[in-house]
Every structure is written in C-alpha cells, then in structure tokens.
Amino acid sequence: MTPRAMCRGVTVMGDYARITPTGGVVIDTVAWIAARTEGVRADLTGHLHGWARHRHAATATSQKDWLRLASAWCTSAGHQATEQALIVHGRTRLDSSVWILPATARDDVERPDARPIAVIGIGDSPPSVYNDATDDPWEWCDADTVTIVCPANGHWWRWRSGRELLTSTGQSATLTRVFGPSLDAPFSSCPQCADYHLGVRPSPCGCDGTPWIICPVCRGRCQLGPPRP
C-alpha cells in the first residue's frame, strides 16, 4: 500500500455517510474531504488567513467573500489554480455546502517542483489549505457517490444518486436488480421490526426505525463508505 493510500484510508466506513430515517443518504462533509486529502497545510492556511486579514480584514464574512479571496491569494502567492478551477457544491448528498479551489503550490520558490493543494471552505467558515490526494479531478466534482459495503464478507457496489449501480467487477446494474424489486431499494426495514409487524416477534426491537441495507449475497447489514476505484 502506498503512503497516499494509507493516508486516504483513515476514513472509517460507518462514519463516511449515514442513512436518514426517511431513506436518504447524507455524506459527512469532513469525512468526504478527508478521503480526498492528506492533511491540512498549516503553513499555507496560516498564510492565507494572514493575507486576508492584512488586506481585506472587513470583507471575509461569507462564502462568496472567501471564494474571491482564495482565488486572489493564489495569484498573489504564486500558486497556480488547476484547469477545472473553482468547484462549488450546494445541493448534493453532503451535509454542508462546500467549495474547492484546486491548485499547485511551491513549498519553496527555489524549488522547481510543485505540490497539488486544495483550498477548501465549508459554508461561510474560513477555508483551510490541504494537500490534494486526488488522482483524478473528477473526484472533487463528485459529491454524491457512495460505496455500499458489506463489512462481514466484503461485497460492495458503487452507487451514485440515481438508480444505477456499478458492481465490484465493473458491471452496470440497478438498485432493483441487485436489492430487489421494491422502489425503496436498496433500503428495507429492520428485520426485527419487520418480524414484529408480521407477528413473528412478540415485541418491537426498540431501534430508531432507520432503514437498513441488507446485503443481497450474504444477508449481512451493509454500511456506506467512500467511492472505490
């Protein structure tokens, strides 16, 4: 395993995304960022904030302000924004609005090499500068894809926001083809709750009623994790 893969592997599967009581998917924004970066660049973050305070102390109060300032800071500091430039996510599976400005930064003006960075802001909060660990610019554009994973036996499927899936072997599929014909697929009720409603179980299990995703191969309970290659 490469150092990059090790750093990006610290996102805990069950903490990446959650299922809502109504059968939706919400991705934790901080975990989404962690899966695509290799830590915060404290030096560059401090420089960005100091630069903003020194030149624009009264203006950095909103996301719109920081978007403008981050771009101006990159130009002032000699950092080169990448071709896809600014990426903004508002209505996605993420639990917060977030914006990303991918760039390359030279750690030392005397060095010819440059490291990929990403200036990232969540909501109206001041942004941080991260070491960018993405291999493909599309990873920053995709704020919806999750992996449905069966932790017990490793079965998994890649799921975007629609009905289509991609299997672990790269084959196209659909939610209903894999998880059953119900339009609620891949979600189902807690098996203990279902047994109670059918009269098989004498009392409810006491859970919060959040839907489950049951592995169609081994019947284990699945979790939602970051996208897999």
Side-chain angles (χ1 to χ4, degrees):
M1 182 179 290
T2 65
R4 172 174 291 188
M6 291 175 64
C7 288
R8 297 178 68 188
V10 298
T11 302
V12 179
M13 187 67 64
D15 294 339
Y16 185 81
R18 68 181 186 274
I19 300 170
T20 69
T22 57
V25 173
V26 177
I27 299 173
D28 183 272
T29 303
V30 174
W32 181 83
I33 294 171
R36 291 160 173 78
T37 59
E38 291 179 339
V40 175
R41 284 291 302 270
D43 56 337
L44 296 182
T45 300
H47 187 270
L48 166 59
H49 293 179
W51 181 90
R53 285 194 303 269
H54 181 67
R55 292 171 174 76
H56 306 275
T59 61
T61 58
S62 69
Q63 183 183 89
K64 182 178 180 181
D65 294 333
W66 277 114
L67 290 172
R68 175 176 52 81
L69 289 172
S71 179
W73 171 76
C74 281
T75 301
S76 174
H79 307 316
Q80 182 66 47
T82 52
E83 291 183 2
Q84 68 269 29
L86 185 66
I87 301 164
V88 181
H89 292 300
R91 295 180 178 273
T92 65
R93 280 177 167 168
L94 295 175
D95 62 6
S96 302
S97 62
V98 62
W99 57 269
I100 307 99
L101 180 63
T104 53
R106 294 189 177 184
D107 292 334
D108 190 315
V109 294
E110 300 299 326
R111 293 173 54 186
D113 58 320
R115 287 208 54 175
I117 60 169
V119 186
I120 304 175
I122 299 175
D124 293 331
S125 299
S128 295
V129 183
Y130 295 80
N131 286 314
D132 189 343
T134 59
D135 296 315
D136 186 331
W138 171 251
E139 293 184 53
W140 286 121
C141 299
D142 182 3
D144 292 304
T145 300
V146 294
T147 302
I148 301 173
V149 180
C150 171
N153 295 295
H155 308 121
W156 64 274
W157 299 263
R158 187 185 300 136
W159 179 26
R160 297 199 65 192
S161 59
R163 306 292 299 176
E164 294 185 0
L165 296 176
L166 194 65
T167 70
S168 58
T169 59
Q171 302 298 311
S172 295
T174 63
L175 291 173
T176 49
R177 188 188 307 170
V178 174
F179 291 95
S182 171
L183 291 179
D184 292 329
F187 305 114
S188 60
S189 62
C190 161
Q192 287 79 14
C193 289
D195 287 346
Y196 168 71
H197 291 302
L198 291 172
V200 176
R201 179 186 172 100
S203 60
C205 72
C207 73
D208 62 2
T210 299
W212 285 30
I213 299 179
I214 303 298
C215 178
V217 180
C218 67
R219 308 307 296 170
R221 186 175 184 177
C222 294
Q223 295 180 345
L224 299 175
R228 293 192 177 188

